[in-house]
Amino acid sequence: MPMKKIGIVGGGLLGRLSSWRLLRAGCDVTLFEAGSLQVCPGAARTAAAMISPLSEVVDSERLIYDMGMAGLKLWPAWNQQLGQPITYSEQGSLVVAHTQDASQLTQFAAKLRHHIGDAGDASYQWLDQKQIAEIERDLSHFHRALYLHTEACLDNHALLDQLLSDIHALGGHTFEYTPAVEVSSHKVQTEDQRFTFDEVIDCRGVGAKPDIHDVRGVRGEVLWVQTREVQLQRPVRFMHPRYKLYVVPKPNHQFIIGATEIESEDLSPISLRSNLELSSALYALNPAFAEARITATDVNLRPSLMDNLPRIERCKGLLRANGLYRHGYLLAPTVVETIVNEVLDNASAPYSEQIMIKEPALC
Amino acid sequence: MSVQSHATSTDTPFVLYGETLSSRFILGTALYPSPQSMRDSIAAANTSMVTLSLRRQNPNTPSSVSQDSSQQDGDTFWQYIRDSGCRLLPNTAGCKTPREAINLAEMSREIFNTDWLKLEVVGDDYNLQPCPFGLVEAAAELVKRGFKVLPYTTDDLVLGQKLLDVGCEVLMPWGAPIGTGQGLMNRYNLRTLRERLPDIPLIVDAGLGAPSQAAEAMEMGYDGILLNTAVAKANDPIGMAHAFAKAIEAGREAYLSGLIHKSQTASPSTPTLGQPFWHQT
């Protein structure tokens, strides 16, 4: 069988992962990115990169949990196939609340049970103060926490770099600073060149707005801080009346705290209010964070559809994948598996029935 | 229901600022799992007016991704709410001073093309209690500027009267602090407001957690209910929206039908005359 020629538009997480998987399967892959490939401009860079199907199902749907659990199996296997495996941490995560917000923690657990039922009983447990101290010394002032021991997180900046170098190593062609003016069936048109492919995969996220009518960006803001005074082994979720806040330890004594969730496509810098809210949450988690240095702030748009669920539109010579919303690293493996199996005419991947629409009216 | 009761068939319309609303249930648009579930909840609630907050948008920034440079950021989401067909009630959530609230009100009027406004001036950060002084000051100015102000207030009678004095035609006292789900915390005050202001539309706004609490407010004679969290954060927002809608209707019908008065001693609904006398001890 001749090598399939694939054009992938968008160099974020979906675009890179799809390129890498298809190159490994023997395809001829060309990846287009409107901005830089060295520093990914998309939400993939800004995300904290947790693989947390339990925490995320609380405010979404069962599908997110099921796809996320599948992702938890795929990530470690895929990581071993990378040229150089990246840091992938499987230490679970903790959910805590301030005394005044204790009811929100109870509500969190109730919603978790509502969505996953008895099936998930073994995947979470309540910890008391002593048990918290045993696994997270710097959170020992909390009296109660929910421990979700199956959850994981990964070093996304390392992953994005590694994927790019693997794409090059496997002979993938890449074009950066090359926005596509048309992404359609078998065709990618850049400002000065026209390409034809056996299959085109549209992974532009919010950039696909001209072609996917219900895509919207949901603004998220994060802080990066650095301190040696607090040590966390795993991501920590923190109850807040408006946002789903988390603190995730990153290499080099850094932490990322996020994220706000604002219905806006404004990419201007983080607001003072958001900064205050994120900072004060961090301080409330452990006052020793007060002396941490803010090393970076970041803002990005989550590509989202109106139901906040992922969707792949499929028509001849074209796949458009979008809507990973706040669940990029959680859902990407299953979404990419679906794309790859479809392109290679393999048996359908699990969940493809739920997320793939064939021959939609507009594609 | 096959038979329409006398009470509901003769009910007076729900009129605010001269406009008749088809539903006594006003729903907020924040905190839903997705825009889709928000809009399905609006439909299930059969509401005719929704609140929305401009607060966290930056309306002066054009969308960073839209091809159409005239499109404002957040437009996709706003348009989605507009498409629900409901009247929009912009709010000033999170404003702490009259000046902030007035600025936001002006911006909202421009963007949403309505002079209706749910006025919030927060006096305390933790329970988001309205600041009575700032509220009256902001309401007075906004009425002068032509706004139809629906003030979110505490259940204090004198504060309510001051808001009416400066030109508000509706009052929206809290049941309990926003998002707490505590229900009607001070029934005495809420009853006092109803009794002393019989001709003013009164809407219980905030603090409700259960449909029974909404029904109770309506049974007291309140004209409408405004809520958000209890629906948006329910396991099934759409189901909860529908449950509240039914409770609000039930409460209204009960009010119109006239509740019986409580009494200390039991009075059997079945006469005891036909029972053997040894059962009558």
Side-chain angles (χ1 to χ4, degrees):
Chain A
M1 202 174 81
M3 203 188 254
K4 274 203 173 181
K5 272 187 74 186
I6 315 289
I8 298 180
V9 190
L13 178 60
L14 273 190
R16 285 176 202 225
L17 262 188
S18 302
S19 299
W20 177 60
R21 296 310 293 176
L22 287 165
L23 281 163
R24 283 180 54 89
C27 296
D28 176 19
V29 174
T30 307
L31 174 64
F32 301 88
E33 163 58 46
S36 161
L37 277 171
Q38 301 310 315
V39 183
C40 169
R45 174 202 74 217
T46 310
M50 287 173 287
I51 326 295
S52 47
L54 291 129
S55 313
E56 290 298 331
V57 76
V58 165
D59 283 302
S60 58
E61 295 185 18
R62 173 73 192 223
L63 178 65
I64 298 297
Y65 171 76
D66 291 334
M67 289 179 68
M69 290 306 281
L72 272 178
K73 289 206 180 78
L74 285 171
W75 273 122
W78 286 9
N79 190 27
Q80 292 311 315
Q81 296 167 4
L82 284 168
Q84 184 84 49
I86 52 126
T87 306
Y88 184 83
S89 166
E90 297 176 276
Q91 305 239 43
S93 62
L94 274 186
V95 191
V96 297
H98 235 264
T99 322
Q100 289 106 314
D101 300 321
S103 71
Q104 289 198 45
L105 189 56
T106 314
Q107 171 99 15
F108 184 97
K111 282 197 152 187
L112 186 57
R113 258 196 321 278
H114 166 77
H115 285 292
I116 65 174
D118 299 341
D121 276 358
S123 54
Y124 62 91
Q125 72 183 104
W126 286 104
L127 303 186
D128 62 23
Q129 190 164 16
K130 190 164 158 278
Q131 293 167 310
I132 296 169
E134 280 164 14
I135 61 166
E136 288 290 0
R137 194 194 58 202
D138 287 343
L139 298 179
S140 59
H141 48 289
F142 284 95
H143 293 271
R144 205 161 168 249
L146 205 54
Y147 180 35
L148 314 170
H149 57 85
T150 54
E151 297 195 336
C153 64
L154 56 78
D155 180 354
N156 53 325
H157 292 178
L159 175 74
L160 294 169
D161 290 347
Q162 189 60 46
L163 283 172
L164 184 62
S165 84
D166 279 20
I167 289 166
H168 287 145
L170 292 166
H173 320 284
T174 57
F175 291 87
E176 55 181 348
Y177 301 107
T178 310
V181 291
E182 189 190 331
V183 180
S184 55
S185 190
H186 299 296
K187 182 176 157 194
V188 176
Q189 174 82 50
T190 65
E191 274 157 4
D192 48 18
Q193 225 177 325
R194 181 193 165 104
F195 297 82
T196 52
F197 298 101
D198 295 318
E199 298 275 8
V200 169
I201 306 172
D202 179 355
C203 302
R204 287 175 294 169
V206 183
K209 232 177 165 174
D211 293 306
I212 305 179
H213 66 102
D214 53 349
V215 175
R216 73 188 201 287
V218 179
R219 176 177 160 101
E221 300 153 305
V222 302
L223 294 181
W224 281 78
V225 303
Q226 189 173 37
T227 179
R228 287 171 181 270
E229 288 183 43
V230 185
Q231 277 166 19
L232 296 176
Q233 311 303 318
R234 51 182 65 70
V236 179
R237 303 257 173 174
F238 195 60
M239 294 295 111
H240 182 278
R242 276 185 299 282
Y243 307 122
K244 297 147 204 144
L245 293 187
Y246 51 76
V247 181
V248 181
K250 290 286 178 184
N252 202 16
H253 304 284
Q254 294 198 93
F255 300 85
I256 179 172
I257 168 141
T260 57
E261 213 170 333
I262 300 172
E263 286 290 348
S264 165
E265 289 170 355
D266 167 14
L267 269 174
S268 61
I270 186 170
S271 71
L272 186 69
R273 173 190 298 266
S274 295
N275 194 331
L276 283 168
E277 284 191 299
L278 295 174
S279 305
S280 68
L282 206 49
Y283 180 73
L285 197 65
N286 188 323
F289 272 116
E291 282 302 321
R293 297 298 184 256
I294 299 175
T295 53
T297 65
D298 204 356
V299 175
N300 228 309
L301 303 180
R302 307 173 179 93
S304 315
L305 302 170
M306 284 305 173
D307 56 6
N308 290 347
L309 296 174
R311 187 173 78 211
I312 299 172
E313 296 178 0
R314 171 57 157 155
C315 50
K316 196 175 169 298
L318 177 67
L319 289 115
R320 297 194 199 275
N322 215 305
L324 271 65
Y325 178 49
R326 50 178 288 125
H327 306 128
Y329 287 87
L330 181 68
L331 304 182
T334 18
V335 171
V336 168
E337 208 183 28
T338 308
I339 293 171
V340 169
N341 286 11
E342 181 68 21
V343 167
L344 300 178
D345 302 314
N346 291 345
S348 295
Y351 311 109
S352 59
E353 224 166 274
Q354 285 101 312
I355 61 173
M356 187 148 51
I357 305 176
K358 298 213 171 181
E359 305 294 335
L362 295 166
C363 192
Chain B
M1 205 194 308
S2 54
V3 180
Q4 197 186 21
S5 66
H6 176 71
T8 47
S9 63
T10 56
D11 193 5
T12 50
F14 181 37
V15 179
L16 303 176
Y17 286 102
E19 302 259 356
T20 301
L21 299 183
S22 61
S23 163
R24 294 175 180 273
F25 188 4
I26 304 166
L27 196 58
T29 53
L31 302 171
Y32 292 85
S34 70
Q36 175 80 55
S37 78
M38 170 199 76
R39 216 160 77 176
D40 292 346
S41 300
I42 291 172
N46 194 23
T47 178
S48 57
M49 183 154 75
V50 294
T51 62
L52 69 184
S53 169
L54 192 63
R55 182 77 195 176
R56 315 215 117 230
Q57 317 302 318
N58 190 348
N60 300 318
T61 319
S63 169
S64 53
V65 290
S66 174
Q67 306 288 304
D68 172 6
S69 62
S70 70
Q71 202 183 4
Q72 303 288 297
D73 74 84
D75 244 21
T76 322
F77 183 67
W78 298 137
Q79 193 53 47
Y80 198 68
I81 298 181
R82 278 195 194 98
D83 290 347
S84 70
C86 290
R87 174 180 274 281
L88 304 182
L89 180 60
N91 67 33
T92 59
C95 290
K96 291 181 185 165
T97 63
R99 209 178 122 195
E100 259 185 292
I102 291 162
N103 286 344
L104 189 61
E106 292 285 8
M107 255 193 272
S108 297
R109 174 154 69 178
E110 202 174 304
I111 285 179
F112 300 116
N113 197 24
T114 174
D115 49 14
W116 285 43
L117 182 78
K118 171 179 162 179
L119 177 62
E120 272 184 56
V121 181
V122 175
D124 181 86
D125 267 340
Y126 216 82
N127 68 1
L128 302 175
Q129 176 167 348
C131 166
F133 310 100
L135 189 62
V136 174
E137 187 186 330
E141 177 61 25
L142 287 164
V143 168
K144 269 187 222 152
R145 297 188 187 196
F147 282 91
K148 313 264 194 309
V149 178
L150 292 83
Y152 168 58
T153 170
T154 61
D155 48 29
D156 186 278
L157 172 66
V158 178
L159 172 56
Q161 284 166 331
K162 298 284 177 203
L163 287 165
L164 298 175
D165 289 347
V166 300
C168 296
E169 296 181 17
V170 184
L171 296 179
M172 303 207 294
W174 66 359
I178 295 171
T180 58
Q182 297 274 357
L184 309 180
M185 296 280 279
N186 192 335
R187 290 176 177 77
Y188 173 82
N189 272 12
L190 288 170
R191 275 187 209 288
T192 304
L193 274 175
R194 182 67 292 174
E195 281 163 18
R196 293 289 299 278
L197 306 169
D199 301 322
I200 301 298
L202 296 179
I203 296 165
V204 168
D205 175 4
L208 301 187
S212 55
Q213 297 159 353
E216 188 186 355
M218 296 303 289
E219 287 163 8
M220 274 185 197
Y222 272 74
D223 297 279
I225 301 290
L226 195 168
L227 56 86
N228 188 342
T229 311
V231 166
K233 296 298 249 183
N235 286 341
D236 174 4
I238 299 152
M240 192 59 82
H242 193 230
F244 266 102
K246 287 190 283 189
I248 290 164
E249 268 183 43
R252 179 67 183 173
E253 191 164 6
Y255 168 72
L256 294 168
S257 305
L259 275 77
I260 61 159
H261 287 270
K262 288 180 184 167
S263 84
Q264 282 301 326
T265 53
S267 81
S269 53
T270 308
T272 49
L273 198 63
Q275 289 180 13
F277 67 87
W278 61 86
H279 281 168
Q280 294 183 21
T281 55

